[in-house]
Amino acid sequence: MAQAALGAAGLHFDELNKLRVLQPEVAQQTAQLREECKAFVDRIAEFQKTVGGLIELVDQLAKAAESEKMKVPNRV
């Protein structure tokens, strides 16, 4: 009966019997979403690191190719 009155007021008890404003299901979904977002951000950071390395490599290869072009005389 007391929980029904609190629930009507938008208050809920969690598994540790702490008073919460969010429903337990919503709180659990929020925690799960937070974890998924952190994993996504970590994967994006790793992707950016990989792409940064690839861009550096391509730049080095482009500079090496330009250097080789300068060494070879144009024969037209």
Side-chain angles (χ1 to χ4, degrees), residues 31-47:
Q32 182 180 358
L33 181 60
R34 183 182 310 117
E35 291 172 13
E36 290 174 5
C37 288
K38 184 185 179 317
F40 178 75
V41 168
D42 291 344
R43 287 192 309 248
I44 291 295
E46 185 66 30
F47 177 73

Side-chain angles (χ1 to χ4, degrees), residues 3-75:
Q3 283 188 339
L6 287 173
L11 302 172
H12 306 278
F13 286 103
D14 66 3
E15 63 278 352
L16 300 174
N17 289 325
K18 290 186 177 184
L19 192 59
R20 302 290 181 187
V21 177
L22 286 177
Q23 295 176 354
E25 298 84 21
V26 175
Q28 189 225 2
Q29 290 173 352
T30 301
Q32 182 180 358
L33 181 60
R34 183 182 310 117
E35 291 172 13
E36 290 174 5
C37 288
K38 184 185 179 317
F40 178 75
V41 168
D42 291 344
R43 287 192 309 248
I44 291 295
E46 185 66 30
F47 177 73
Q48 286 179 328
K49 181 179 172 184
T50 302
V51 169
L54 180 62
I55 289 172
E56 280 184 37
L57 180 63
V58 169
D59 284 343
Q60 290 173 359
L61 290 173
K63 287 177 185 175
E66 285 299 318
S67 176
E68 288 297 317
K69 283 183 189 177
M70 296 303 215
K71 292 180 184 177
V72 178
N74 287 334
R75 295 183 187 176

